[in-house]
Amino acid sequence: MKGIMESLSMSENGGGIEAKTTSRASIWSQFSENVMRSFKDSHRNPRFTRGRFISGLIVSIIIGLFYFDTSNNIDTVQANKSGLLFLIVLMSAVRSLNFCVLTIPLTFHTTKREFHNQLYTTLPYFLSVVICEIPYLVAVNCLQHVLFYFAVGLRRDAVSFFNALACNIVTGWASSGIGWFIGAMAGSEPKLAAQLGASLILPFFLFAGVLKSDKDTAVYLFPIKFLSWLRYGFMMMMVNEFKDLELDCGDQECPYNGTAILLKMGVEPDELWWPNIPANLAIGLGFTVAAWLVLAHKITRR
């Protein structure tokens, strides 16, 4: 790391040599060197990178086979497609959270040592973690989306396709922020981070709107409801698929369309991008900032 190494000075210490820094490099140098090191680590550990894509590939194939060519039959469409859409959202959320929750704990001791050696501050390091995650977040979601979207019988127009893809990416972003926050709270304990991540999914799972109507949530549970990134992702996917959807009633004329199903489930048909995309972006950003603050507090302590 050229920018950082230039700040090193050498001093003799009882016949040996001790390396210590007299000053840190610029913020940009710290950031760029951390980004380069993160990508090099990914290149040196290809099994970890391949694992992310292979796990996404396997899950996509299973979903594609199980829900292959799901019909719009009026008797089954609500149960089948709402279950499918929630599974898609949950898959994107769990995958991102599970990988990001371990990022900080696995490198915590190294990061703390290098911070106290004045190689870099916590902000450039943490920004490099975020930047290096974004390509994987987008690439894996795109791979999964292309593999199963048309196979499972969802709407076959470009607008609906890209709306659903954007929903999955933003849901993954919110999960990444939550994962980094849990990892920062766990510090140097990757096992604790993994356990906390798995436990945290359940309460937000309950408020997603698939197990109980969104409008039946008790008032005192609203804080959890409005922090449920799964809820925002599921609501957007439901509106994207069901609004004005023509149902299959055989030889008879259908008494209603997909919009009536949305209203029955307590989903507002006009809430596609707003408030779902901004809410998940804000949740991801908020937890990301909180993760950096927690990490900075833990790293600066001796």
Side-chain angles (χ1 to χ4, degrees):
M1 297 188 291
K2 182 178 179 181
I4 295 176
M5 293 302 295
E6 287 176 349
S7 66
L8 294 177
S9 63
M10 308 302 295
S11 62
E12 294 186 1
N13 184 17
I17 295 180
E18 178 186 7
K20 58 183 179 180
T21 58
T22 57
S23 63
R24 291 190 177 101
S26 67
I27 294 294
W28 173 252
S29 295
Q30 296 174 45
F31 169 71
S32 59
E33 296 293 348
N34 272 288
V35 170
M36 290 176 60
R37 185 171 69 172
S38 296
F39 281 118
K40 287 179 180 178
D41 287 343
S42 298
H43 181 71
R44 286 195 293 264
N45 297 280
R47 288 183 296 179
F48 183 77
T49 303
R50 285 199 300 265
R52 303 186 71 166
F53 285 94
I54 291 173
S55 64
L57 177 64
I58 293 173
V59 173
S60 297
I61 292 173
I62 293 173
I63 290 177
L65 292 174
F66 187 76
Y67 284 98
F68 182 74
D69 199 21
T70 303
S71 71
N72 292 331
N73 183 278
I74 192 169
D75 296 323
T76 60
V77 66
Q78 178 178 338
N80 290 346
K81 284 201 169 180
S82 62
L84 165 63
L85 296 174
F86 182 71
L87 186 59
I88 292 171
V89 171
L90 185 64
M91 174 182 65
S92 176
V94 170
R95 183 189 61 250
S96 296
L97 191 148
N98 284 344
F99 280 104
C100 290
V101 79
L102 296 175
T103 303
I104 293 174
L106 290 176
T107 60
F108 184 83
H109 288 302
T110 301
T111 304
K112 187 170 185 176
R113 181 178 65 251
E114 292 178 346
F115 170 83
H116 287 292
N117 285 338
Q118 298 189 24
L119 294 180
Y120 50 77
T121 59
T122 55
L123 181 58
Y125 161 76
F126 188 74
L127 286 177
S128 72
V129 170
V130 174
I131 293 299
C132 290
E133 175 60 23
I134 290 176
Y136 295 112
L137 173 67
V138 174
V140 175
N141 274 288
C142 287
L143 172 65
Q144 289 187 325
H145 206 67
V146 169
L147 286 174
F148 69 73
Y149 184 87
F150 295 109
V152 296
L154 298 179
R155 287 191 167 187
R156 299 178 182 275
D157 60 275
V159 174
S160 298
F161 175 85
F162 285 108
N163 280 341
L165 176 59
C167 176
N168 285 332
I169 292 174
V170 175
T171 301
W173 158 251
S175 296
S176 298
I178 294 169
W180 291 321
F181 176 74
I182 295 173
M185 292 291 293
S188 60
E189 301 291 337
K191 291 183 179 180
L192 175 61
Q195 292 171 354
L196 290 174
S199 302
L200 187 68
I201 286 286
L202 180 58
F204 293 103
F205 177 96
L206 298 175
F207 293 93
V210 66
L211 301 179
K212 186 178 181 180
S213 175
D214 187 62
K215 293 186 177 180
D216 291 338
T217 305
V219 175
Y220 54 84
L221 293 175
F222 273 18
I224 302 177
K225 168 184 171 179
F226 288 116
L227 279 175
S228 177
W229 75 107
L230 298 174
R231 171 179 174 267
Y232 295 113
F234 178 63
M235 295 299 172
M236 181 173 177
M237 292 291 281
M238 286 290 291
V239 174
N240 185 58
E241 180 62 25
F242 277 94
K243 185 177 181 180
D244 299 326
L245 179 67
E246 294 296 328
L247 304 180
D248 180 10
C249 298
D251 297 331
Q252 300 178 352
E253 182 179 352
C254 289
Y256 55 86
N257 61 16
T259 303
I261 295 177
L262 292 176
L263 295 172
K264 180 181 177 181
M265 296 184 66
V267 180
E268 292 295 332
D270 295 327
E271 294 183 352
L272 179 62
W273 283 72
W274 177 268
N276 302 310
I277 291 291
N280 269 353
L281 287 173
I283 289 171
L285 179 61
F287 275 101
T288 299
V289 173
W292 168 60
L293 294 174
V294 172
L295 177 66
H297 174 69
K298 287 181 174 289
I299 289 294
T300 53
R301 291 187 305 177
R302 285 286 182 178

